[in-house]
Amino acid sequence: MAGLVLAMVAAAALIFWFGRGQSFFADDWNFMLTSRDWSADNLLQPHGGEHLTFFPRLIINTLFEVFGAESQLPFRVVAVSLHLTCAALLYALARRRLGTIAALLPAVVLLFLGAGWEVVMSSFCLPNEMSLAAALGMLLCLDRGDLRGDVSACALLCVSIASFTFGPLFAVGAAVELFLRRGRKRWGRLWVVAIPFALYLAWRYWARSHGAHSAIDSENIAAAPTAVVEVLASGLAAVAGLFATPGAPDLGAELRVRPDVGYVLLLGLGGLIALRHRAGWRPSPRFWAIATILFVNSVSIALVLDPASRATDASRYAYLTAVLILLMLVEVMAGARLTRAGRLAVGAAVGISLVANVAELDPGGRFFREEGEYNRANLGALELTRGQVSPGFVPEDEDANIFSLLPHRDLAFPAGAYFAAVDKLGSPAYSPAELPGAPQAPRISADQLLGRALPVTAQAAPARVPPAAEPSSSPPFPVRPGQVAERGTASVAGDCVRLRPDAGAQARFTLALPPGGFVYGTDPNASVRVRLARFALPVFPVEIAVPPGSAEVLIPTDRSNRPWNALIDTRSELVACPI
């Protein structure tokens, strides 16, 4: 037990260290926006159109109520605690079959399962972990074989089913186990499963009129057998630590759970089962229960795959598959007496698994850190536009050019709903003082969001804007000679600035803009390119579609006095003036 505690402490320390600096992610935002609604309709609302997440919503609502939304840390503490609980329950299940020392091996593999980084490193899979923890507790209670154990198993299965869709999978497996157990009471114990499953079916009936929909795609049926094998192979590769892309060129490749070696491991698992059977081992009801859950889970994943968000090698799928494979291995190896060579082989396999999985915690944490920087920067920019932006504006909608920069598109909610949540819970965004110090890529995406949210526009202006001969009483255009980037000269002309390209050259000018934007006059057929930057300097990521000839670039003011800057490419002389 002391070894398990030490492993849990070490795993928690690594997970928190590699996962530092995160913000909310994906499903977290939906929970944040609805956290102040404690109604039964909201708590029972189908999450993602198909998941019952009643108990996680209760916990998440409470966390938002107590801690607000300024920090994700309280949510990660709960999520990591659930991960540790799953490992402890796996240890308890394995100890009954393998003994105190051997039971540490599957538990330690799960504790450091970097291949399941989506679940292990963030809080957005909190419902998954809660459902799994309750389901493992249900299996532990079934081992008691008495009325108290059955009542507890029934209650935990209710919690699992009402936390995520792992629960119904384990209900099917538990039904198989209870049916296969010997004795006259096997039929009489099915109530343990029947009550939770009946409640789940009642919820499904209710949810049909509250937005529930099936994610099953009929086009996946033809490829389902292949997908089932890929899911199983990915889970086996995750357990073995043989899932990584050699020489991974980028973060996306590093985070893939490659199933390649898993296909060989599937054959190896079949061979191990055959060898154990020849040695006198017979599959237990628990073995068949786990095998059923593993199969049903793989089929369910195969039927809902889509290129955008659900792939067979997704780490959140690998996490549950890995747990089920570890449970199956526990059943297969129950009662086995290994030779010294066998113990060395098992130890080496666990060592290889730990090396790869612990290393995977780093890129997993890096993904969430980078995503957190993007989200905080984008939301910081969004908050600057409050009072200007439309309440229905979506920060990361499908048409935003910003997508080419983002690791993940998860800010898919209306600005009005976000502002209402921030008023009550506090802001997870970068403050106006913090935003300029963010990494450059998030600052680029923040500028692009500002360009869409304000919005920044251009329209045709009079044929020529005459330069003022004398400065007026208004503040002068904040441009001085020497701001030319290349192949041209700039000179002050009253409140304006005259930009002259060298003869026959394409010149480039950098201007610090006054509030509200600027207007420029040039030849009627002149082609001018205008790009803007505010926080992203020296990059100019906001491309403005300007008409030929003279134009007026309109930049609505917002809650920051930080100036915009323009990068102007032109072959024609132009005069730029404040609006």
Side-chain angles (χ1 to χ4, degrees):
M1 192 64 179
L4 176 64
V5 172
L6 289 174
M8 291 170 70
V9 170
L14 285 175
I15 292 169
F16 279 114
W17 170 250
F18 286 126
R20 66 194 182 277
Q22 293 186 38
S23 182
F24 297 106
F25 176 76
D27 295 347
D28 290 335
W29 299 114
N30 177 66
F31 290 129
M32 174 185 167
L33 299 184
T34 61
S35 64
R36 290 167 291 117
D37 185 353
W38 292 83
S39 67
D41 273 4
N42 180 58
L43 296 175
L44 294 170
Q45 188 71 23
H47 178 64
E50 57 182 327
H51 305 294
L52 173 58
T53 55
F54 177 82
F55 287 107
R57 282 179 186 268
L58 284 177
I59 292 175
I60 293 169
N61 281 11
T62 301
L63 290 172
F64 276 120
E65 190 77 24
V66 174
F67 297 103
E70 294 182 1
S71 173
Q72 191 212 18
L73 183 58
F75 301 82
R76 291 202 64 222
V77 169
V78 174
V80 172
S81 298
L82 287 169
H83 172 61
L84 300 182
T85 300
C86 289
L89 290 167
L90 178 60
Y91 172 80
L93 288 163
R95 185 175 59 180
R96 295 180 176 220
R97 293 155 176 82
L98 303 179
T100 302
I101 302 300
L104 280 173
L105 301 181
V108 168
V109 169
L110 178 57
L111 281 171
F112 297 94
L113 192 71
W117 58 272
E118 283 182 290
V119 180
V120 174
M121 300 301 295
S122 180
S123 65
F124 91 99
C125 283
L126 189 151
N128 308 46
E129 294 175 290
M130 189 170 183
S131 180
L132 179 58
L136 294 175
M138 178 271 296
L139 294 179
L140 194 61
C141 290
L142 284 184
D143 283 345
R144 289 174 58 100
D146 57 16
L147 180 60
R148 179 177 294 181
D150 287 354
V151 170
S152 299
C154 180
L156 286 169
L157 189 54
C158 286
V159 173
S160 181
I161 284 176
S163 296
F164 199 67
T165 45
F166 292 171
L169 302 176
F170 277 84
V172 173
V176 169
E177 177 174 338
L178 291 173
F179 178 76
L180 293 177
R181 284 182 182 268
R182 294 181 179 180
R184 291 176 297 176
K185 294 184 177 181
R186 66 180 182 180
W187 288 102
R189 296 182 68 196
L190 284 176
W191 62 268
V192 173
V193 174
I195 292 174
F197 208 77
L199 292 173
Y200 177 69
L201 292 177
W203 173 81
R204 292 291 302 183
Y205 179 80
W206 173 87
R208 287 173 60 186
S209 61
H210 289 75
H213 63 268
S214 173
I216 294 176
D217 188 342
S218 60
E219 294 183 359
N220 287 325
I221 293 176
T226 303
V228 167
V229 174
E230 287 185 0
V231 171
L232 294 173
S234 296
L236 273 167
V239 169
L242 303 175
F243 58 85
T245 302
D250 56 40
L251 186 58
E254 282 185 278
L255 292 172
R256 285 193 58 204
V257 182
R258 287 171 51 118
D260 306 33
V261 181
Y263 301 124
V264 178
L265 296 175
L266 267 176
L267 296 176
L269 178 60
L272 175 63
I273 293 172
L275 287 174
R276 290 288 292 137
H277 195 272
R278 285 190 61 183
W281 170 82
R282 294 295 178 266
S284 64
R286 175 62 53 81
F287 172 86
W288 290 117
I290 299 302
T292 300
I293 299 169
L294 192 56
F295 175 74
V296 174
N297 176 62
S298 301
V299 171
S300 65
I301 292 172
L303 294 178
V304 301
L305 296 175
D306 70 68
S309 60
R310 295 186 177 102
T312 55
D313 60 358
S315 70
R316 60 188 182 278
Y317 296 152
Y319 184 88
L320 176 60
T321 306
V323 171
L324 295 172
I325 288 170
L326 290 169
L327 285 169
M328 179 174 283
L329 288 172
V330 166
E331 294 299 319
V332 171
M333 298 306 296
R337 292 183 175 274
L338 296 180
T339 63
R340 183 180 180 185
R343 291 194 296 271
L344 289 174
V346 170
V350 172
I352 292 171
S353 174
L354 291 177
V355 167
N357 275 292
V358 169
E360 193 72 356
L361 295 175
D362 182 23
R366 191 160 19 109
F367 172 89
F368 286 117
R369 271 199 308 280
E370 291 182 6
E371 176 64 17
E373 290 165 351
Y374 277 99
N375 284 344
R376 283 194 289 266
N378 288 331
L379 294 176
L382 181 66
E383 291 182 14
L384 293 180
T385 68
R386 189 168 186 175
Q388 293 278 0
V389 69
S390 166
F393 174 82
V394 176
E396 294 173 9
D397 63 23
E398 294 182 358
D399 298 325
N401 293 331
I402 202 170
F403 286 175
S404 62
L405 295 167
L406 293 172
H408 191 277
R409 310 172 189 178
D410 61 334
L411 303 184
F413 45 75
Y418 172 74
F419 293 143
V422 165
D423 287 341
K424 300 293 184 180
L425 303 174
S427 172
Y430 283 134
S431 69
E434 293 171 330
L435 186 53
Q440 186 179 71
R443 285 187 281 117
I444 290 174
S445 67
D447 275 3
Q448 289 180 322
L449 186 144
L450 284 170
R452 293 185 299 116
L454 285 171
V456 177
T457 58
Q459 61 188 28
R464 186 85 177 181
V465 178
E470 298 294 336
S472 68
S473 58
S474 60
F477 200 105
V479 179
R480 294 292 180 269
Q483 290 181 288
V484 177
E486 58 185 28
R487 298 187 178 183
T489 59
S491 59
V492 175
D495 290 340
C496 304
V497 62
R498 187 186 302 274
L499 308 177
R500 290 191 179 94
D502 293 342
Q506 176 83 16
R508 174 169 293 178
F509 302 91
T510 304
L511 308 179
L513 302 179
F518 69 108
V519 60
Y520 61 84
T522 187
D523 296 335
N525 296 319
S527 177
V528 179
R529 185 184 184 190
V530 178
R531 286 169 286 174
L532 303 180
R534 195 179 197 184
F535 296 98
L537 288 172
V539 178
F540 289 78
V542 183
E543 184 89 25
I544 305 299
V546 296
S550 303
E552 187 176 43
V553 178
L554 304 172
I555 308 176
T557 57
D558 56 27
R559 297 188 170 202
S560 173
N561 58 7
R562 187 179 181 87
W564 284 86
N565 295 267
L567 184 66
I568 300 175
D569 292 275
T570 180
R571 288 183 177 273
S572 303
E573 178 181 337
L574 63 81
V575 176
C577 301
I579 292 177

